Amino acid sequence: MLGPVQIPQQVLQVPGGTGRMVVCGDDGLARRLAAELAEVYGERVTLVVPPASEPPLAVGPPARRGRWGRVPSADGSRGPAQARPPREPRIVEAAEPDEEVLAAVAAGAAALALVYEDDDRNVRAALVARRLYPRLRLVIRLYNRKLGEHLEDLLDQAAIVAEPEIGPRVRDSATTVLSDADTAAPALAASAVAGTSKVVQADGLLLRAVERPPPGRGERADPGLCTLALLSATSTDPAGSESSVLGGERGLQLLPDDRAVAAATGRATVALETVAHTGPAQPAPPRLSAASLPVASLFSRRLRWSLAGIAAAVTALAVASWVTTGDHPLHAAYVTLLDLFAINEPAVGATTQRQVLQILTGFAGLLLLPVLVAAAIEALGAFRTATVLRRPPRGLSGHVVLLGLGKIGTRVLARLRELEIPVVCVESDPRARGLALARRLRVPVVVGDVTDEGVLEAARVHRAHALLAVTSSDTTNLEAALYARGVKPDLRVVMRLYEDDFATAVYRTLRAAHPGALTRSRSVTHLAAPAFAGAMMGRQILGAIAVERRVLLFAVVDVAGHPRLEGRTVTEAFRPGAWRVVALDTAAPAERRPDLATVPREGSVPGPGLVWQPHPGYVLKAEDRVVLAATRRGLAELLGRTGASASRP
């Protein structure tokens, strides 16, 4: 077996040729994506990773061994290569994805994925790759959304200019920009919210999938728009294990048919509950100003009553001055204000009534001074809260405690607030990127290490509904979850864990120790890799929904060229356990875009868009486009990307 190939700077070709899919990256997503392409879709993959830096044996933690080659350990080092399976990606080591490296590995490739953690590196490599190979399909990992939108248009336009015969609608030359944080955030957020369905949001389309409890005797679970899954028989058994270790009728069944749903008594289901367009993103909250702040937020109730009392006293004194002196009302009010602020001359030689009124008005002025000072302090405090982090309110309860405001935590926070879920964040780094969003959304934040005593208590974890631990450290997430469970045993816990074996062991232990609580473990790379792999295969993936430890994909597929769809009814096109048609795009073919948006021609009327729950007897035509709910292997088989799948009935 071949080990990693080191590319010298002067070499422009990799010995032995390149794979049809090229993945360039420096973290777990790259290897997970390579595994997805090789194992699920049966593709030949070239994996480009940074050169290994072998530390001394006595330094750092031991390297984790993976199925393929050398897998990065906690400190980024790699251990010895292992024996590889037949479809193992070819590993190429290169310090940077520069022009020489890309010219070598991407020659003859169908798609190139740039999934480095650094956005700048991905952008530079994408510009070079598009210039070298205009027809190459590019999948780019970017955290910056606005930059991603502009980059897609720029690279696609560059491909068309370089080779005009490509045409603007050729999928093979398309550029897809994805974010692992955006892909995984909806599922992570939904897992932490009781009663809230799993959510997939992409390009203005919102899909919600909700878990329904087992129906009673003689009842049938509400399928919603359709039933997406039958949960494992042990999903409600505290001592059970997740379906990743179960099989057959007791294990998780994705996309079951009506007969299987009817026969699965006592099994919880996952149903597609609602589908709606979210429209354009909500504008950012306006900047805080004196005109936009209500009086109630500036002044406390006690201060407002004090101001009202003094105003009433001054008004009464002005009326008394008008009555006793016979002056004009405006002049009487003016004289009263002068007395109030002690800028009027003493009323020596005036009438007794005038002298008494001046003394009373001066006394009211003395009372007004501390009230004005208090008002200024409270107003300053109200403005200051707009620029500093809020503390959790004392009476807060039923909220979600979010640990970590990095790339993933920031996106999860945005999703939770879109769902109007109360959140308290905990972050140890005072310069974390998510603090600005929390400040803008006025979300309470506790700055401190979650492993320190008192930090989770400050976040009111004992009154929280769920704990969502999404820091980059598995051990930190686990330690916080165990501590929170000690404070509140029935707390709903969702942890971000990278290692599948570790996640399974943690799940079983917590499930057995706390049978009355719900525990979930999620891997960001596990949730994000299917969308990246789907984009590399040349199709639009709307998103992924995590069901226990497996994933359902929602993809846009053109019916033309797929014999298992074309000419078949919606019912006949349904393949239990693999794929099913959930929506039909009724837009005219000339007005379609890959993101399901329509671009009506001049003078035309936009089409009705997507039709959910299409008639079972509708015959799919070549010009149709459908939205599929599919498993990863099912989608690969449907599109005939593997030799085995093409021969199956």
Side-chain angles (χ1 to χ4, degrees), residues 309-525:
I310 293 177
V314 172
T315 302
L317 290 171
V319 172
S321 177
W322 166 49
V323 172
T324 57
T325 62
D327 291 339
H328 190 277
L330 292 179
H331 184 267
Y334 174 69
V335 171
T336 302
L337 291 177
L338 291 178
D339 293 335
L340 180 71
F341 295 109
I343 58 177
N344 198 9
E345 294 182 359
V348 179
T351 62
T352 304
Q353 295 88 342
R354 172 72 182 91
Q355 292 175 342
V356 172
L357 288 175
Q358 188 178 55
I359 293 174
L360 293 176
T361 306
F363 181 72
L366 294 176
L367 296 178
L368 177 62
L369 181 59
V371 174
L372 291 178
V373 173
I377 293 176
E378 288 196 8
L380 179 62
F383 279 99
R384 188 171 178 269
T385 56
T387 58
V388 298
L389 299 173
R390 298 182 61 202
R391 300 289 296 177
R394 291 185 178 181
L396 183 64
S397 63
H399 57 286
V400 174
V401 177
L402 175 62
L403 308 184
L405 284 177
K407 292 197 306 181
I408 305 300
T410 302
R411 294 290 191 250
V412 172
L413 174 60
R415 294 295 182 268
L416 290 172
R417 293 308 299 138
E418 288 175 1
L419 296 173
E420 299 182 353
I421 303 301
V423 186
V424 173
C425 301
V426 179
E427 173 57 51
S428 59
D429 184 4
R431 295 172 297 177
R433 68 176 69 202
L435 292 179
L437 176 64
R439 185 181 296 112
R440 186 170 70 249
L441 298 178
R442 307 196 69 184
V443 173
V445 178
V446 177
V447 178
D449 191 343
V450 297
T451 60
D452 292 342
E453 186 176 356
V455 173
L456 287 179
E457 285 82 354
R460 308 288 190 269
V461 71
H462 59 285
R463 304 182 63 179
H465 179 73
L467 174 72
L468 183 52
V470 293
T471 70
S472 57
S473 171
D474 285 4
T475 55
T476 299
N477 295 335
L478 177 59
E479 184 176 353
L482 294 177
Y483 184 83
R485 276 286 168 81
V487 176
K488 187 178 181 181
D490 61 343
L491 182 68
R492 183 185 183 97
V493 172
V494 179
M495 290 176 291
R496 171 191 176 187
L497 298 177
Y498 180 80
E499 294 289 348
D500 286 339
D501 294 340
F502 180 56
T504 301
V506 169
Y507 172 84
R508 291 177 179 175
T509 304
L510 289 179
R511 192 74 179 263
H514 301 278
L518 184 61
T519 303
R520 289 290 182 264
S521 60
R522 298 287 181 253
S523 167
V524 173
T525 57

Side-chain angles (χ1 to χ4, degrees), residues 179-194:
S179 167
D180 57 331
D182 281 332
T183 305
L188 288 170
S191 299
V193 181

Side-chain angles (χ1 to χ4, degrees), residues 626-641:
V626 295
V627 176
L628 295 177
T631 63
R632 290 176 290 182
R633 294 186 183 276
L635 193 59
E637 180 180 345
L638 173 66
L639 299 183
R641 300 302 301 187

Side-chain angles (χ1 to χ4, degrees), residues 187-228:
L188 288 170
S191 299
V193 181
T196 301
S197 55
K198 296 178 174 64
V199 179
V200 171
Q201 185 174 359
D203 302 316
L205 189 68
L206 183 65
L207 304 176
R208 299 177 184 266
V210 61
E211 293 186 11
R212 301 193 184 279
R217 292 185 178 181
E219 299 179 353
R220 183 177 180 182
D222 183 7
L225 295 179
C226 67
T227 300
L228 296 178

